[in-house]
Amino acid sequence: MAPMAAILTVFALTFAAISWLSLLRACFRQGTVTGLLAFFLPPLGLLLLLPRWEEEAEPFATAAAALVFISIAGIF
């Protein structure tokens, strides 16, 4: 693995962790069942927050940043 790809992978993992924590916070605010669902199935938690994406934009933005970084790391 090239050094640039390793650095981008670390950034992607960091953004993914931040995204998961903010997703948990937003889902537990909505309800306990939704929070537990987001804990065990994070993509489903994002889908449940989709109708409120304007109010809860942080999980979506950080997940998109993680996706961008991991995509660029795949190129290198």
Side-chain angles (χ1 to χ4, degrees), residues 22-37:
S22 63
L23 172 69
L24 286 177
R25 188 181 72 224
C27 284
F28 271 112
R29 254 186 288 174
Q30 191 171 3
T32 305
V33 174
T34 308
L36 288 173
L37 192 64

Side-chain angles (χ1 to χ4, degrees), residues 5-27:
I7 292 170
L8 289 172
T9 302
V10 168
F11 279 134
L13 289 174
T14 304
F15 276 115
I18 292 169
S19 174
W20 186 61
L21 290 175
S22 63
L23 172 69
L24 286 177
R25 188 181 72 224
C27 284

Side-chain angles (χ1 to χ4, degrees), residues 48-68:
L48 289 173
L49 280 183
L50 206 53
R52 298 178 41 202
W53 74 273
E54 293 172 343
E55 300 162 4
E56 305 288 349
E58 185 181 358
F60 294 104
T62 53
L67 183 64
V68 166

